[in-house]
Amino acid sequence: MKAIILAAGEGARMRPLTLKIPKPLLKVGGRPILEYIVSRLPDAINELILVVGYMGERIKDYCGDNFLGKQTRYIWQDKQLGTYHALKLCESLIKKNERFLVLCADDIHGKKGIENCLNYKYALVVAEVKDPRRFGVVRLNNDSSVAEIKEKPENPFSNLVSTGILLLDSEIFKYKADIHPNGEYYLTDALSKMLKDGHKIFAVKSTLWLPIGHPEDIKKAEEIMRERGEI
């Protein structure tokens, strides 16, 4: 099973740390973020597709063709036009009806939350946050399936957001994302179209989510990981 990891961004909010190091290789407790992500993937994942762009050669040099025991391939996203655009670049590597995980190379997650996605045909990992405006905001049905998802709304309809982990299959490529006012194409828009077309996407509760969005988040993550005995 494949995991597609979106790792092309410039990490502008992490500057000056990302002026010389790509964000996925920034270290938390002495280990790169990307290493935490891959080491917590379900055992069923045996192949990685890394979508790279900014300092992509650095990431490729670090990971090579086999990273932490998983075959590794690279797709180049020369222009950072959003998460849907990044995923669409991988379409030729996905077989018809093939399931795969999608993750962003930004954050540290709990292994169990990722594994629980595999219990469903389509799933996304969710968590509650104080300020959901910079995330994909989610509203659920009574059966824990997703009723609505919207990227970076000015007036969020809930505090529940997508953590950026999704279980999908080739069906997602049938739903083209529309351009966001900021010029990017978001995967959440394609997911909304899947939902309107009758597909069920189930929400899985995160067991750990440490967003690394600003330099100070590294220290916060280290403190939490240390308390958990994980570094």
Side-chain angles (χ1 to χ4, degrees):
M1 188 174 180
K2 297 181 178 72
I4 298 174
I5 301 178
L6 309 183
E10 294 184 13
R13 291 178 297 155
M14 293 296 294
R15 291 173 182 163
L17 301 180
T18 49
L19 292 175
K20 295 184 178 180
I21 302 173
K23 185 177 178 181
L25 297 186
L26 291 176
K27 291 184 178 181
V28 174
R31 296 173 64 192
I33 295 170
L34 188 57
E35 191 171 313
Y36 283 106
I37 294 169
V38 175
S39 66
R40 290 157 186 249
L41 292 174
D43 294 339
I45 300 296
N46 56 14
E47 184 176 344
L48 306 176
I49 300 172
L50 295 182
V51 181
V52 296
Y54 179 70
M55 293 193 191
E57 287 294 344
R58 291 279 300 273
I59 296 173
K60 186 176 181 180
D61 289 345
Y62 184 84
C63 297
D65 297 327
N66 189 293
F67 186 54
L68 301 184
K70 303 181 190 300
Q71 179 186 345
T72 306
R73 291 192 277 183
Y74 301 87
I75 292 290
W76 291 85
Q77 186 185 26
D78 296 324
K79 294 182 179 180
Q80 276 69 67
L81 296 177
T83 50
Y84 180 82
H85 178 262
L87 181 61
K88 186 70 173 176
L89 294 173
C90 303
E91 183 175 7
S92 64
L93 301 180
I94 302 298
K95 299 175 183 176
K96 185 177 180 180
N97 300 323
E98 181 180 6
R99 295 201 309 165
F100 55 89
L101 278 173
V102 181
L103 308 92
C104 296
D106 297 314
D107 310 327
I108 295 173
H109 296 273
K111 183 178 178 68
K112 188 63 177 176
I114 305 173
E115 288 179 341
N116 288 342
C117 287
L118 303 186
N119 296 326
Y120 304 93
K121 181 177 181 179
Y122 302 124
L124 80 166
V125 180
V126 298
E128 290 189 351
V129 297
K130 291 182 179 179
D131 183 4
R133 289 174 297 176
R134 60 189 181 95
F135 301 102
V137 180
V138 176
R139 182 170 60 83
L140 300 183
N141 294 310
N142 291 333
D143 63 355
S144 294
S145 65
V146 178
E148 184 179 1
I149 182 168
K150 190 170 183 180
E151 188 69 34
K152 297 178 174 61
E154 285 293 325
N155 299 297
F157 44 75
S158 81
N159 288 327
L160 194 68
V161 303
S162 169
T163 65
I165 298 179
L166 296 151
L167 178 67
L168 300 168
D169 65 12
S170 60
E171 193 75 10
I172 188 63
F173 299 116
K174 296 180 181 179
Y175 301 93
K176 183 178 179 180
D178 297 322
I179 191 167
H180 190 272
N182 68 7
E184 296 189 12
Y185 298 86
Y186 287 111
L187 189 47
T188 45
D189 190 47
L191 294 175
S192 293
K193 293 180 179 180
M194 277 189 73
L195 293 172
K196 290 176 181 177
D197 210 20
H199 293 285
K200 283 258 189 181
I201 303 173
F202 285 90
V204 173
K205 188 177 181 180
S206 171
T207 54
L208 174 69
W209 182 35
L210 302 176
I212 312 293
H214 300 86
E216 59 268 23
D217 291 335
I218 290 180
K219 184 177 180 180
K220 293 177 185 176
E222 288 177 337
E223 291 173 352
I224 293 171
M225 297 286 283
R226 196 170 288 114
E227 289 175 1
R228 293 168 60 94
E230 297 188 38
I231 60 172

